[in-house]
Amino acid sequence: MCLNVECQPSNKTTINYMNISIKPFKNFFLGCCLVLIIVNAFQLFQKLSPQHPIYFSGLKFSGLGEILEQESIIGYVSDLDLKEAGPLAEYEQAQYMLAPVVLDVMNPAHKFIIINPSNNTAALDKLKEFNARPLLRNQFGVILATTDQSFPDKNSKAENLQP
Amino acid sequence: MNYLISLFISSLLGFLGLNVLRSQTRIDPILHIIASIGLGLALSAQIIFYTLFIVGHYNPTALWIGHGIVFVILIAANFFVFKKDHASLFPKFPSDQIAWIGFGTLSLILIPLWRETHFYPFGGWDAWACWNLKAKFIFLGGDNWKNMLDPSMWRSNNQYPFLLPLMNVWGWNFYKNPSVTVPILNAILFTFLTASIMFWGLKRSIKDIRSIIPPLVFFTIPFVNTLSISQYSDIVLAFYLLGCFVCLIYAREEKSVPIAIISGLLCGAMSFTKTEGTLACLLISGLSVPFLLKRPNQSWPLFIGFLTAAILSAMPAILFQLFWATQNVSFTNGLTSVDHPATFVRLKVIVMFLIAELTSWKWNGLWFLLGGGLFLGWKKCFKNGLTIIPIFLSIYVTAAIAHYFINTHYEIVWWLGTTLNRILYAILPLIVWWVFTAILRHPDKK
């Protein structure tokens, strides 16, 4: 009874394993591989066929970075629960979009604060709570506010904020 | 085009570096090219690391000076070595039909990768929350780039090394802005390099076209396709890990010091990819002692070549750990913690989750196929130099499970669900190559 692959001295790949030639099994294995490649390719083709929309929450925070060029750390607050995947992803993507500025999450004790509210009422509540003044509000409702009352606001674009 | 220029410069440095080794012994031209690209990019990234270390911030001028110095040194080394040895300065590319057909077929995997990236330009979660974020801090942050290591940035895994971000910064250097193109192309490039080294590593042993099967089996899986274009560091780790083992086994078989040096360079570069890469580098370095020094194959020159190259290449990882690595605030020792103890239930969940992951159909039955292959080539998987792979995998996976068990900072099901598949993805190319090599190579092959 041969259990060792070296039992066959010939150059052929026929291998005895308990007196059973393993070559058919090896061919079966390679056949399975080819089937898997075909199945994979078919699935891949199916997956690629539809035109997926590109969705990236980080785009929600575009247009807020200009004022922050000199800043290294600002606050990020939201009335959304950051323990949930969606709001957490928004925070992480905001961090990516505004890097190299560090977003200090849920800490309003900074000169500038990004407020990512669920609605206008929540935004106004946050501004009141932190005694902050909106400087800029982009088309997605994200607000850049300042707690520095002396900071000039002649370029403020946040006048349309209504509850 | 800008990306191609950055790639060409890095590859040229890699090529010249390996060419110096080629003067001593023949290096397969295909390995020469694959390793030139992989190590060249690592070298460019490491030059950026050293400029950060010396200058204190990303500085394009310092970067060019660094590349210029390395280029001059390598040209001088090539001139000196080849003048002495009278060998051909450029490697000869033999007419190899299997290689042409193989790489022609492999290039087909670029089509789905390229197409899918158009719908996934920012990559997966960790791409923008970790890797590309770090690259942006380095590229745009000036002296404040170290803010990425601030404890408040713990969500971005600030304790991780950052080879891939530095590679992205090297590409951005040619765009003058943090373009999404560079991380996308780096992800595609490393996927193709991993497939190439898998193909070449097997072709070297069996010398027939069946070597094309393993990379096709692996990289055509839709889930693998998605992970490959996610712009994660896992594919970079996968490439260096596989390349390191392929070259280490090759070096031992051929008793080739230059190949052992290439293996060491790949091993060292791997240490700066991720924490898992650092662990893998340490494990391989430890396993290389019996692997290269055990009689009757005992070879001190191989071991010294491997280890010296590995240490040299791992210098950024060593310096990072010594000077910049922050405390991992997302670590709670479950063995000592009263609030979050590591319980038997946690261990059971880990094992059950691992089994569920291995049997999940998102892998399209790959693990079953590999299990069948392992059964078929059981004895051959553990002999003729391949033994080092299962030993490494056993220790590596045990360490990963131990980490999941001991670190109770995260809720275990969520943590396993978000990270386990990527840990497996990074080691899968090595497992696939190992099983196929054991099955397909000639029984008498030493």
Side-chain angles (χ1 to χ4, degrees), chain B residues 101-120:
Chain B
I101 295 170
F103 282 107
T105 313
L106 269 189
S107 61
L108 292 175
I109 65 169
L110 293 173
I111 299 169
L113 288 171
W114 178 249
R115 188 181 149 81
E116 186 78 346
T117 52
H118 284 81
F119 307 112
Y120 210 38

Side-chain angles (χ1 to χ4, degrees), chain A residues 36 40 43 47-48 96, chain B residues 115-116 136 226 364 383:
Chain A
L36 184 57
N40 287 347
Q43 285 188 355
K47 183 182 162 222
L48 295 179
Y96 172 73
Chain B
R115 188 181 149 81
E116 186 78 346
K136 276 187 88 172
T226 303
N364 275 15
K383 65 196 303 184

Side-chain angles (χ1 to χ4, degrees), chain B residues 162-345:
Chain B
F162 45 89
L163 186 71
L164 178 61
L166 291 175
M167 287 176 181
N168 290 336
V169 169
W170 169 239
W172 288 345
N173 185 50
F174 292 80
Y175 286 83
K176 307 293 178 204
N177 67 71
S179 161
V180 292
T181 312
V182 174
I184 286 174
L185 292 177
N186 273 340
I188 294 175
L189 176 76
F190 272 95
T191 306
F192 189 70
L193 285 177
T194 310
S196 300
I197 196 86
M198 199 190 285
F199 164 66
W200 176 83
L202 189 55
K203 179 188 151 298
R204 187 187 67 81
S205 291
I206 69 170
K207 296 182 174 58
D208 73 41
I209 196 62
R210 288 176 301 172
S211 337
I212 198 68
I213 294 174
L216 285 181
V217 162
F218 182 62
F219 285 104
T220 53
I221 297 171
F223 181 62
V224 170
N225 183 72
T226 303
L227 283 177
S228 299
I229 54 156
S230 291
Q231 302 171 24
Y232 293 162
S233 210
D234 301 286
I235 187 61
V236 185
L237 169 61
F239 167 72
Y240 289 115
L241 180 65
L242 177 61
C244 172
F245 271 109
V246 167
C247 291
L248 192 63
I249 291 166
Y250 180 21
R252 186 171 177 257
E253 283 174 4
E254 304 287 330
K255 291 203 182 301
S256 167
V257 177
I259 304 293
I261 291 173
I262 294 175
S263 178
L265 291 171
L266 291 165
C267 184
M270 175 172 64
S271 68
F272 202 46
T273 53
K274 291 184 82 177
T275 310
E276 292 95 311
T278 312
L279 170 70
C281 174
L282 289 171
L283 281 179
I284 296 169
S285 300
L287 290 172
S288 72
V289 178
F291 187 70
L292 297 175
L293 295 181
K294 193 182 163 194
R295 292 175 193 278
N297 297 310
Q298 186 181 38
S299 177
W300 278 97
L302 285 187
F303 177 68
I304 291 167
F306 170 83
L307 201 63
T308 309
I311 292 170
L312 193 70
S313 183
M315 278 314 288
I318 295 167
L319 292 172
F320 172 74
Q321 294 298 337
L322 285 177
F323 297 104
W324 287 340
T326 51
Q327 195 190 352
N328 185 2
V329 295
S330 57
F331 180 82
T332 305
N333 188 344
L335 299 177
T336 55
S337 170
V338 179
D339 296 335
H340 299 95
T343 59
F344 180 68
V345 175

Side-chain angles (χ1 to χ4, degrees), chain A:
Chain A
M1 187 176 287
C2 178
L3 293 168
N4 196 326
V5 290
E6 272 89 10
C7 287
Q8 294 285 322
S10 78
N11 287 335
K12 292 179 183 174
T13 51
T14 305
I15 303 160
N16 274 345
Y17 192 74
M18 294 185 178
N19 285 339
I20 302 168
S21 169
I22 261 185
K23 190 176 178 185
F25 290 109
K26 192 154 109 178
N27 289 338
F28 176 73
F29 174 78
L30 292 175
C32 288
C33 292
L34 293 177
V35 169
L36 184 57
I37 291 170
I38 293 166
V39 170
N40 287 347
F42 182 71
Q43 285 188 355
L44 205 51
F45 179 76
Q46 275 191 321
K47 183 182 162 222
L48 295 179
S49 296
Q51 298 281 322
H52 310 295
I54 301 169
Y55 181 73
F56 184 68
S57 302
L59 299 174
K60 190 176 171 182
F61 300 90
S62 51
L64 301 174
E66 286 173 25
I67 297 176
L68 304 172
E69 276 177 3
Q70 302 300 318
E71 300 302 313
S72 61
I73 183 163
I74 64 170
Y76 176 95
V77 291
S78 175
D79 59 312
L80 301 164
D81 183 5
L82 288 190
K83 285 178 183 161
E84 287 180 19
L88 181 61
E90 283 195 357
Y91 159 69
E92 300 269 23
Q93 295 186 2
Q95 176 62 83
Y96 172 73
M97 290 300 285
L98 296 171
V101 179
V102 174
L103 301 189
D104 194 0
V105 67
M106 294 304 182
N107 184 358
H110 294 282
K111 184 178 174 184
F112 295 102
I113 312 166
I114 295 281
I115 301 174
N116 180 20
S118 56
N119 54 52
N120 280 354
T121 310
L124 284 168
D125 287 347
K126 290 289 177 194
L127 286 169
K128 204 176 284 180
E129 183 184 344
F130 306 135
N131 193 24
R133 188 159 48 88
L135 292 172
L136 211 147
R137 183 184 187 228
N138 71 10
Q139 56 182 315
F140 304 104
V142 179
I143 296 165
L144 174 63
T146 180
T147 52
D148 180 1
Q149 301 304 327
S150 62
F151 191 81
D153 64 346
K154 58 184 176 183
N155 295 324
S156 174
K157 294 175 185 171
E159 58 275 0
N160 295 327
L161 186 62
Q162 296 296 329

Side-chain angles (χ1 to χ4, degrees), chain B residues 12-14 16-17 43-44 47 50 63-78:
Chain B
L12 180 66
L13 293 186
L16 290 170
L43 179 61
S44 290
I47 290 170
Y50 289 119
L63 188 59
W64 284 114
I65 290 171
H67 275 78
I69 291 170
V70 173
F71 180 74
V72 169
I73 291 171
L74 290 176
I75 285 285
N78 271 268

Side-chain angles (χ1 to χ4, degrees), chain B residues 19 151 286 384:
Chain B
N19 218 33
N384 293 346

